[in-house]
Amino acid sequence: MDALAGLGFGVTIITALKLMGLHRASSRAKAVAKVGSLAMGLEAIIYLLLIMLGAISLGFAKLTANGGTAFNQIMTHYTGLIGTALLGAMTLLACLTTAIGLVTSFSQDLGHRFPKLGYHFFLPITTIGAFFIANFGLDQIIAYSTPILMLLYPLAIALIMLGLLHPWIGKNTRIYKTTIAFTMIPALLDAIHALPAGLAQLPFFAGIQHFASTFIPLFGIGMDFVPFLLIGFICGFIAAKFSGAKLAPDLPDPD
């Protein structure tokens, strides 16, 4: 999920860096690498502490359906009403900043893709849409968004990998299309595997899951996209080579 958010935030971050005077692509890449390394390091520490806290909480609290309820139980146990109120305030601020960033990034991306409508057209639509979805409740949002996330996650990883390989493969459409096409197969299987129980038990979807768990490698641990991604990339790379297309065009670093 963080990878998907990273792709969305990327538009806003690059735009902000340009406004700060970093017009060269290499300068922006270095700035993002430095800040990203710091952020990932701190986030890794936070996640490690959360894992430890969750494990310790099993001594006095029951398993919950989502992390929000678990946090509430932990704070109530250790700090009482004051801690619960503090948790609510911290959650509000954390979710508010994330929501603002995602809404802004999504609207900016749509504004770039549809310049006639622009950023200011999509911003209120995105905000209102997010408001209505938020009222479905956390459990329902998780249940119905997980299949979508599992569908998009392998595709996001593929795009990130292709982006990192840009100096060697450029923007060769044959490589991109072939890699994404192969990755789409396990992405669909993962989405079906993550369907809510009522849908997953239907004979059609149950049959697909049985087939995938039997014949698709790494399906059980959610890493089945890796071999498909690699095969798709290799096939696309070979096809691009035989087509005679230049893989990495010499693009000047803009001033």
Side-chain angles (χ1 to χ4, degrees):
M1 187 168 63
D2 289 340
L4 296 174
L7 289 175
F9 276 122
V11 177
T12 300
I13 293 172
I14 296 302
T15 301
L17 290 175
K18 288 181 179 179
L19 294 175
M20 294 173 64
L22 297 178
H23 299 294
R24 296 178 62 86
S26 58
S27 300
R28 293 196 299 270
K30 291 179 181 178
V32 171
K34 292 178 181 178
V35 176
S37 299
L38 176 62
M40 287 189 296
L42 294 175
E43 189 172 7
I45 295 174
I46 292 173
Y47 276 127
L48 179 61
L49 294 176
L50 289 176
I51 292 172
M52 295 173 58
L53 184 61
I56 295 172
S57 69
L58 293 177
F60 57 83
K62 297 180 180 180
L63 288 174
T64 59
N66 58 69
T69 305
F71 262 125
N72 185 54
Q73 291 180 354
I74 293 170
M75 293 298 290
T76 301
H77 175 79
Y78 284 113
T79 60
L81 182 61
I82 296 177
T84 305
L86 179 62
L87 174 64
M90 293 172 60
T91 303
L92 174 63
L93 293 176
C95 293
L96 183 62
T97 54
T98 303
I100 292 173
L102 287 175
V103 167
T104 303
S105 301
F106 188 64
S107 301
Q108 282 183 341
D109 187 56
L110 290 176
H112 286 305
R113 295 180 182 276
F114 304 98
K116 291 184 178 180
L117 297 176
Y119 164 75
H120 293 286
F121 173 82
F122 290 105
L123 183 60
I125 296 176
T126 304
T127 304
I128 295 172
F131 172 78
F132 280 111
I133 293 175
N135 284 277
F136 291 153
L138 182 58
D139 291 339
Q140 292 297 320
I141 292 174
I142 292 175
Y144 288 98
S145 65
T146 299
I148 300 175
L149 293 175
M150 296 304 293
L151 172 68
L152 297 177
Y153 170 67
L155 303 178
I157 296 297
L159 289 174
I160 292 172
M161 186 200 76
L162 293 172
L164 293 174
L165 294 175
H166 177 78
W168 297 277
I169 65 173
K171 295 182 179 180
N172 189 282
T173 56
R174 194 182 301 270
I175 296 178
Y176 269 79
K177 290 180 179 179
T178 306
T179 304
I180 295 300
F182 272 81
T183 308
M184 180 63 74
I185 299 172
L188 290 171
L189 295 177
D190 290 340
I192 293 173
H193 184 63
L195 287 172
L199 293 175
Q201 294 174 358
L202 294 176
F204 176 73
F205 294 129
I208 293 177
Q209 291 192 63
H210 176 72
F211 172 83
S213 60
T214 304
F215 297 103
I216 303 298
L218 305 178
F219 178 77
I221 59 175
M223 298 293 290
D224 48 323
F225 70 91
V226 174
F228 283 86
L229 189 157
L230 294 176
I231 293 172
F233 174 76
I234 293 172
C235 292
F237 186 84
I238 294 174
K241 275 288 189 180
F242 276 105
S243 68
K246 190 175 182 181
L247 295 180
D250 297 326
L251 297 177
D253 196 0
D255 294 329

